[in-house]
């Protein structure tokens, strides 16, 4: 018999009993459903009640973290952490971040690395194996990252907004720093370290010169101090006009002596307070940002000036190749035209940061021809984790398959097989992180942060593997949950492409917010290369951008034999057809259908796939806590509505040119084109779309 203790002596016994019964019912029901979950713990949700024995042959802040993580979470026997120079094989890399994990028995495990950071990574590896049920003894693991620099780029402004951020405000509280230090900085560092991210750029590439003021640097220092033991270096985006704007100089010309001195002094000032500062990220002469061309100088002259200032401190410059001007030349060609002639002119601490595709983070792009083209220059890839063009944090789009398609693309540089992954020496990802409790605006978008880190460490990991790991750590080990959810995630990127921009269509977004469809969009007086028609070129003959010799000939920037494959409309892969060819409506596709019919089927398929996601997810109701279940369910509803919006808008608009019926076996439009044209979402570059 259960006896209830009265809450207070004064309360009548039956009321107290009633209260207690209610309390018990509440606890029982939350235990049955699992506790309410807000996503704040990301994929780091292991039980922390272990009391493991951990020994180390050195003491340091990073090793202390490794010890604490293992002590509280490791359920097996003793773990030895050993700094050891010259460990073997694959665990070696220039950065000394590799490690080995070995065991004879479950009772004793040894993690070795030449560096403290390597031991920390090894500890997280071991805990990941435990959290995903993948421990298999004896352990004999050798790991080292493919790239030495695995860096997040925050597009966070000093006023707390995040450009193309869909997870609330910036996590960096500049107004409170340096006095008030948010606990989130440490949680952020820990999450990144657990997946091998080792650097971060704190502020937007559309950079305010004010970031370099002494009072801001004092705040940056606090963040750098917190991230350091987690093996994360801090970088800053800088504005090329800083010498003029905050230094009071008459010019910011990179060949001017006083300007060069200003940057040297600034670098010295930074390194005095942040001795391991990483360096600068620069967006120059792009979308209105200042740059060396304002003074008749080249990108190389601009980058080298900054590189010279950073060089004595071992700092680097990441100089972005995202440049394009309203000229007569195809926007897709411009970065290559600008940068290839400069090959060989950049100093060795400059890395050119190139977006994965030649335009701008579209749902799907072929790789940028700059990869493999610069033989004497260091090149790194820039991926976009935040879903600027993939439905913001409303739509499910697991991006590992996109990044993998990119990294595995063969550039054929130098006339031989040469994958993108081997042409680059670092990877950056534009962060999808904000101050929302769940960090990324939606629970499922956390998987993209996770996948970025894992792929930057090892680009050969499969998307399936990454999704599996993430789901098991974040939600559940139960295969009945893991398998369908993994399937849904793995199909989600292609699904978004299907209902937004199949067959190589690109940039037909509503101008400005990049969320909904506006293939008809016109910005009166605006740049041609910001208008959707520039990209789809629809007419009564067909649709698509002609990048063959009869058009812009952007294809010529690729190597043989890829070039020939792309020139030929019959061998050009369907997924890029309308990227490279203005294709007639009646062109017979590989499926045997006409282009028009194929387009209709693709859009329809996208809609059906999202409906399937809803079914898959709704079935999981008993497998997952109510809070996350409902959150994801509501996001999928938005996605399903948006998919229909996209399908109807694009098909009804393109139909006014194709003048053919939408095949009768697919779902009929439920909207009218004129009504769809009236939709004007009022969203800025700084918020998630609400509809
Ligand atoms: O994708 C575009 C975005 C801009 C962004 C720019 C860039 C930071 O729409 O918001 O600016 O790319 O990458 O510089």
């Amino acid at each position: 018999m259960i006896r209830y203790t009265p809450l207070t002596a004064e309360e009548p016994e039956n009321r107290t009993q009633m209260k207690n019964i209610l309390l018990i019912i509440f606890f029982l029901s939350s235990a049955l459903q699992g506790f309410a979950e807000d996503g704040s713990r990301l994929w780091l949700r292991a039980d922390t009640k272990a009391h493991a024995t951990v020994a180390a042959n050195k003491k340091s802040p990073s090793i202390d973290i490794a010890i604490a993580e293992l002590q509280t979470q490791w359920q097996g026997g003793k773990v030895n952490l050993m700094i050891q120079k010259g460990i073997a094989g694959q665990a070696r890399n220039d950065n000394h971040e590799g490690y080995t994990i070995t065991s004879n028995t479950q009772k004793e495990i040894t993690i070795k690395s030449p560096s403290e950071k390597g031991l920390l990574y090894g500890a997280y590896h071991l805990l990941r194996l435990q959290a995903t049920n993948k421990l298999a003894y004896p352990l004999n693991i050798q790991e080292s990252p493919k790239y030495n620099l695995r860096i997040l780029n925050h597009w966070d402004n000093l006023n707390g907004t995040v450009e193309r951020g869909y997870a609330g405000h910036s996590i960096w509280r500049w107004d409170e720093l340096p006095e008030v230090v948010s606990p989130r900085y440490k949680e952020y560092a820990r999450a990144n370290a657990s997946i091998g991210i080792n650097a971060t750029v704190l502020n937007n590439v559309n950079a305010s010169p004010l970031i370099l003021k002494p009072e801001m640097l004092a705040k940056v220092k606090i963040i750098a101090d917190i991230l350091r033991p987690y093996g994360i270096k801090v970088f800053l985006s800088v504005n090329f006009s800083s010498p003029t704007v905050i230094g009071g100089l008459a010019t910011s010309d990179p060949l001017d002596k006083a300007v060069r001195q200003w940057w040297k002094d600034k670098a010295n000032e930074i390194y005095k307070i942040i001795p391991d500062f990483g360096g600068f990220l620069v967006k120059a002469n792009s979308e209105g940002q200042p740059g060396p061309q304002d003074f008749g100088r080249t990108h190389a002259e601009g980058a080298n000036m900054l590189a010279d200032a950073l060089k004595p401190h071992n700092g680097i410059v990441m100089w972005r190749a995202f440049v394009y001007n309203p000229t007569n030349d195809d926007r897709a060609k411009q970065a290559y035209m600008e940068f290839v002639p400069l090959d060989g002119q950049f100093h060795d601490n400059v890395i050119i940061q190139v977006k994965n595709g030649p335009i701008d983070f579209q749902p799907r792009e072929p790789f940028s021809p700059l990869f493999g083209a610069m033989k004497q220059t260091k090149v790194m890839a820039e991926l976009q984790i935040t879903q600027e063009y993939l439905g913001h944090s409303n739509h499910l789009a697991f991006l590992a398959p996109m990044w993998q398609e990119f990294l595995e693309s063969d550039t054929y540089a130098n006339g031989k097989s040469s994958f993108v992954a081997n042409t680059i020496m670092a990877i950056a990802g534009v962060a999808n992180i904000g101050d929302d409790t769940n960090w990324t605006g939606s629970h499922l978008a956390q998987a993209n942060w996770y996948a970025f880190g894992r792929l930057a460490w090892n680009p050969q990991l499969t998307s399936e593997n990454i999704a599996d790991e993430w789901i098991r750590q974040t939600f559940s080990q139960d295969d009945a949950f893991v398998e369908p959810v993994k399937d849904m995630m793995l199909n989600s990127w292609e699904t978004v492409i299907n209902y937004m921009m199949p067959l190589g269509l690109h940039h037909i977004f509503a101008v400005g917010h990049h969320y909904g469809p506006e293939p008809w969009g016109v910005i009166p007086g605006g740049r041609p290369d910001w208008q959707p028609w520039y990209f789809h070129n629809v007419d009564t003959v067909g649709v698509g951008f002609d990048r063959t010799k009869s058009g812009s000939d952007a294809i010529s920037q690729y190597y043989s034999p890829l070039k020939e494959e792309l020139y030929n409309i019959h061998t050009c892969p369907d997924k890029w057809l309308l990227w490279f060819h203005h294709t007639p409506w009646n062109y017979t596709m590989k499926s045997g259908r006409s282009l028009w019919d194929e387009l209709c089927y693709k859009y329809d398929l996208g809609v059906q796939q999202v409906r399937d996601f809803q079914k898959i997810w709704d079935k999981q109701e008993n497998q997952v806590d109510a809070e996350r279940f409902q959150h994801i369910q509501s996001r999928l509803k938005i996605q399903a509505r948006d998919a229909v919006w996209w399908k109807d808008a694009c098909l009804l608009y393109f139909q006014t040119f194709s003048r053919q019926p939408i095949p009768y076996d697919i779902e009929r439009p439920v909207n009218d084109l004129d009504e769809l044209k009236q939709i004007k979402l009022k969203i800025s570059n700084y918020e998630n779309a609400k509809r």
Side-chain angles (χ1 to χ4, degrees):
M1 202 186 113
I2 305 169
R3 296 187 66 90
Y4 303 110
T5 326
L7 285 180
T8 61
E10 291 78 28
E11 276 192 281
E13 201 176 338
N14 55 354
R15 223 169 92 198
T16 312
Q17 277 190 5
M18 201 52 208
K19 261 189 180 174
N20 283 326
I21 288 169
L22 284 175
L23 260 175
I24 284 171
I25 290 174
F26 172 77
F27 282 123
L28 275 179
S29 67
S30 25
L32 282 176
Q33 286 177 25
F35 286 99
E37 290 281 5
D38 58 15
S40 58
R41 289 186 292 157
L42 295 162
W43 49 88
L44 296 165
R45 301 157 46 84
D47 202 342
T48 53
K49 292 189 197 76
H51 294 285
T53 310
V54 186
N57 66 352
K58 188 178 170 188
K59 208 178 148 40
S60 85
S62 299
I63 295 177
D64 284 349
I65 295 170
I67 294 175
E69 295 280 17
L70 290 166
Q71 267 174 349
T72 52
Q73 294 161 61
W74 178 241
Q75 319 262 348
K78 185 180 176 197
V79 185
N80 301 307
L81 299 175
M82 287 177 66
I83 293 280
Q84 187 172 308
K85 290 225 160 63
I87 57 165
Q90 288 175 19
R92 285 218 310 251
N93 75 334
D94 299 345
N95 244 7
H96 310 295
E97 294 170 294
Y99 52 85
T100 60
I101 306 178
T102 50
S103 69
N104 289 327
T105 64
Q106 237 157 301
K107 292 210 183 90
E108 188 146 0
I109 289 166
T110 303
I111 305 178
K112 288 185 190 169
S113 172
S115 74
E116 297 157 27
K117 217 203 279 191
L119 291 182
L120 184 60
Y121 291 147
Y124 283 121
H125 188 138
L126 189 61
L127 292 172
R128 178 164 59 240
L129 293 179
Q130 173 177 269
T132 53
N133 259 352
K134 288 186 177 136
L135 278 166
Y137 293 96
L139 295 170
N140 191 5
I141 295 165
Q142 294 188 354
E143 277 278 335
S144 76
K146 163 98 176 165
Y147 306 110
N148 290 340
L149 183 63
R150 306 172 296 278
I151 184 167
L152 287 179
N153 289 183
H154 286 266
W155 284 358
D156 295 20
N157 298 311
L158 303 188
N159 67 4
T161 57
V162 180
E163 179 149 356
R164 313 302 178 180
Y166 312 110
H169 272 66
S170 172
I171 52 167
W172 315 123
R173 308 251 173 177
W174 299 115
D175 50 339
E176 298 176 350
L177 282 162
E179 288 83 15
V180 180
V181 178
S182 156
R184 276 226 145 172
Y185 305 154
K186 198 180 261 188
E187 294 166 21
Y188 165 89
R190 177 176 181 239
N192 281 320
S194 76
I195 51 175
I197 290 171
N198 68 358
T200 183
V201 183
L202 301 182
N203 60 321
N204 192 354
V205 288
N206 291 332
S208 163
L210 301 183
I211 190 72
L212 292 179
K213 288 203 128 193
E215 55 274 25
M216 284 307 295
L217 294 175
K219 300 173 192 239
V220 172
K221 175 201 156 44
I222 302 290
I223 296 176
D225 288 346
I226 295 169
L227 305 194
R228 184 172 301 111
Y230 289 89
I232 298 167
K233 269 193 189 183
V234 162
F235 289 68
L236 293 176
S237 293
V238 296
N239 184 298
F240 204 78
S241 293
S242 301
T244 321
V245 183
I246 61 164
L249 301 189
T251 176
S252 292
D253 181 349
L255 298 194
D256 182 274
K257 256 179 119 187
V259 171
R260 299 178 73 83
Q261 192 56 46
W262 188 87
W263 283 108
K264 280 197 177 127
D265 294 344
K266 192 43 86 179
N268 294 342
E269 180 188 338
I270 297 174
Y271 280 92
K272 205 173 262 169
I273 56 169
I274 309 170
D276 58 349
F277 180 69
F280 298 144
L281 171 63
V282 192
K283 172 175 178 179
N285 293 119
S286 163
E287 299 186 331
Q289 293 300 313
Q293 293 177 338
D294 303 348
F295 311 95
R297 314 298 182 195
T298 67
H299 283 285
E301 286 167 322
N304 290 343
M305 168 193 60
L306 297 175
D308 290 349
L310 295 164
K311 180 90 180 172
H313 311 281
N314 296 321
I316 64 166
V317 175
M318 295 172 292
W319 190 270
R320 294 174 92 229
F322 179 64
V323 296
Y324 62 100
N325 289 309
T327 64
N328 286 334
D329 238 313
D330 179 359
R331 174 170 162 184
K333 290 167 69 180
Q334 294 186 27
Y336 180 103
M337 290 166 66
E338 187 89 43
F339 278 84
V340 171
L342 300 175
D343 191 19
Q345 294 181 28
F346 293 95
H347 291 177
D348 66 355
N349 58 333
V350 176
I351 313 182
I352 305 301
Q353 180 166 309
V354 183
K355 290 190 181 180
N356 60 299
I359 299 279
D360 187 11
F361 298 139
Q362 292 304 292
R364 173 181 258 142
E365 298 197 28
F367 67 88
S368 160
L370 267 174
F371 295 105
M374 298 190 71
K375 314 270 180 247
Q376 300 163 66
T377 306
K378 291 180 181 151
V379 171
M380 64 191 285
E382 179 177 339
L383 308 174
Q384 196 179 40
I385 311 171
T386 192
Q387 292 170 231
E388 173 178 359
Y389 295 103
L390 286 139
H392 296 184
S393 56
N394 288 339
H395 295 196
L396 164 62
F398 178 56
L399 299 180
M402 159 151 76
W403 300 332
Q404 208 152 18
E405 176 176 290
F406 161 67
L407 292 164
E408 286 172 356
S409 293
D410 200 337
T411 66
Y412 297 100
N414 308 321
K416 56 175 199 285
S417 191
S418 170
F419 299 105
V420 167
N422 296 328
T423 67
I424 55 177
M425 45 98 54
I427 301 197
V430 179
N432 62 346
I433 298 163
D435 71 354
D436 275 5
T437 307
N438 67 25
W439 295 88
T440 54
S442 95
H443 292 282
L444 294 178
Q446 295 177 355
N448 288 331
W449 177 7
Y450 183 87
F452 169 76
R454 299 290 286 131
L455 275 177
W457 180 277
N458 179 1
Q460 282 178 335
L461 288 176
T462 64
S463 302
E464 197 195 333
N465 212 308
I466 297 171
D468 193 271
E469 271 181 6
W470 179 79
I471 298 168
R472 285 176 195 279
Q473 291 171 89
T474 310
F475 282 102
S476 158
Q477 293 276 7
D478 187 342
D479 285 345
F481 178 86
V482 175
E483 293 306 322
V485 172
K486 186 163 62 184
D487 249 27
M488 171 174 100
M489 286 173 64
L490 290 173
N491 287 322
S492 59
W493 169 53
E494 197 81 46
T495 297
V496 177
I497 296 170
N498 286 338
Y499 65 71
M500 278 189 186
M501 283 169 238
L503 302 175
L505 284 172
H506 51 292
H507 227 316
I508 56 176
F509 290 94
V511 172
H513 55 67
H514 299 165
Y515 184 75
E518 213 172 272
W520 54 82
V522 177
I523 326 174
R527 294 168 58 144
D529 54 355
W530 279 349
Q531 321 264 1
W533 194 86
Y534 178 93
F535 298 99
H536 62 60
N537 283 272
V538 72
D539 56 23
T540 53
V541 178
V543 64
F545 201 127
D546 183 1
R547 295 194 160 107
T548 68
K549 287 189 198 302
S550 55
S552 76
D553 203 15
I555 295 177
S556 68
Q557 295 179 338
Y558 291 96
Y559 287 92
S560 294
L562 175 62
K563 189 180 356 202
E564 288 72 24
E565 186 187 330
L566 298 176
Y567 273 133
N568 182 341
I569 193 168
H570 301 296
T571 54
C572 180
D574 279 2
K575 62 184 178 187
W576 296 333
L577 187 68
L578 306 181
W579 186 283
F580 290 115
H581 294 269
H582 187 72
T583 309
W585 293 116
N586 287 328
Y587 174 76
T588 307
M589 303 289 294
K590 296 185 182 70
S591 64
R593 295 189 185 115
S594 69
L595 168 65
W596 169 250
D597 282 1
E598 185 86 354
L599 203 62
C600 294
Y601 281 108
K602 285 281 184 198
Y603 274 106
D604 189 59
L605 176 63
V607 170
Q608 301 313 324
Q609 285 171 309
V610 182
R611 300 250 158 86
D612 285 344
F613 295 169
Q614 290 185 284
K615 290 178 203 151
I616 292 172
W617 187 251
D618 281 359
K619 271 194 218 145
Q620 306 305 324
E621 185 155 11
N622 296 326
Q623 299 264 15
V624 61
D625 53 277
E627 199 171 337
R628 289 189 297 176
F629 175 77
Q630 279 157 15
H631 169 98
I632 292 169
Q633 186 183 50
S634 70
R635 291 299 164 106
L636 288 172
K637 281 184 195 159
I638 298 176
Q639 187 169 7
R641 286 197 293 268
D642 287 348
V644 174
W645 176 27
W646 269 97
K647 164 180 168 279
D648 286 359
C650 295
L651 289 184
L652 291 173
Y653 172 70
F654 289 138
Q655 190 182 34
T656 62
F657 297 90
S658 81
R659 298 172 184 161
Q660 296 184 36
I662 294 171
Y664 294 105
D665 55 342
I666 68 172
E667 203 177 284
R668 315 317 297 160
V670 293
N671 298 288
D672 292 323
L673 183 57
D674 286 339
E675 279 165 24
L676 293 173
K677 285 188 177 175
Q678 301 312 313
I679 299 178
K680 293 271 174 260
L681 297 191
K682 287 200 178 54
I683 41 178
S684 72
N685 295 352
Y686 309 111
E687 46 182 352
N688 190 34
K690 284 179 208 71
R691 224 166 72 88

